[in-house]
Amino acid sequence: MKAKEIMTTHVLAIRHDDRAAHAVQIMAHHNISGMPVVNDADELIGIITERDLLMITKIQPPKVKTALYGLWIEPDRMVQEDAEWRGLLVEDVMTKKVVTFGPEDSVAEIARVMHDKGIKRVPIVEGKKIVGLISRADVIRAIAQGMSLD
């Protein structure tokens, strides 16, 4: 089976010069855990994931808000506020080394690499342009439908 047979072709991507806080909002709104990053020419230059965004909290210690009877922390809101406050861009936190495949590549090989490298999604590219994306869920769906990955 070829990548083009199971890839998602409507791929949400974010620009490298967007705010990291915007990536948080897009990912939360669409219930996704990562997305490709493109430059001004719409070429793939990175990927941003939940893991990358969680690293924002390691850049600066969390802020604690005070309440009438003690302290509380608002982690989700804090990450977004901290990113906005510091002006972090997507390119500041994205993963730059991206594993990619082409539309004609074998799904079996893609699944093996995803497993071996602990990757949840891989962009499918022609040249440097994104033409699709394959996630672990796409591979599992193909298996569940009785498709052979070879």
Side-chain angles (χ1 to χ4, degrees):
M1 176 186 327
K2 306 277 187 204
K4 65 184 179 185
E5 297 175 57
I6 70 164
M7 69 184 189
T8 299
T9 56
H10 178 70
V11 179
L12 285 176
I14 191 163
R15 290 178 39 94
H16 66 102
D17 54 358
D18 266 335
R19 300 268 182 213
H22 188 222
V24 170
Q25 292 170 344
I26 291 171
M27 290 166 59
H29 178 75
H30 292 281
N31 196 29
I32 57 175
S33 60
M35 62 186 153
V37 179
V38 295
N39 62 14
D40 297 337
D42 284 331
E43 298 170 331
L44 178 70
I45 60 167
I47 197 158
I48 190 161
T49 66
E50 293 168 328
R51 185 176 194 277
D52 298 321
L53 292 166
L54 289 173
M55 294 304 292
I56 291 172
T57 61
K58 292 191 177 204
I59 295 170
Q60 178 177 321
K63 294 178 184 171
V64 177
K65 295 186 176 188
T66 57
L68 185 58
Y69 297 106
L71 304 173
W72 82 83
I73 296 176
E74 299 177 35
D76 294 340
R77 186 192 223 177
M78 261 185 348
V79 169
Q80 184 174 344
E81 287 174 355
D82 279 356
E84 288 173 344
W85 176 77
R86 287 180 276 125
L88 286 176
L89 300 178
V90 168
E91 65 190 2
D92 296 327
V93 295
M94 71 182 188
T95 299
K96 292 177 177 85
K97 291 185 179 181
V98 183
V99 174
T100 63
F101 289 91
E104 296 296 323
D105 287 332
S106 159
V107 173
E109 176 64 11
I110 293 170
R112 185 192 63 75
V113 170
M114 290 172 77
H115 174 270
D116 291 350
K117 295 188 178 280
I119 300 171
K120 293 184 179 181
R121 75 207 51 76
V122 292
I124 307 302
V125 297
E126 287 182 332
K128 292 185 177 184
K129 301 282 185 172
I130 303 165
V131 295
L133 189 117
I134 292 182
S135 69
R136 289 179 182 179
D138 295 321
V139 175
I140 295 300
R141 202 170 10 262
I143 293 169
Q145 292 171 357
M147 298 178 177
S148 170
L149 299 186
D150 292 319

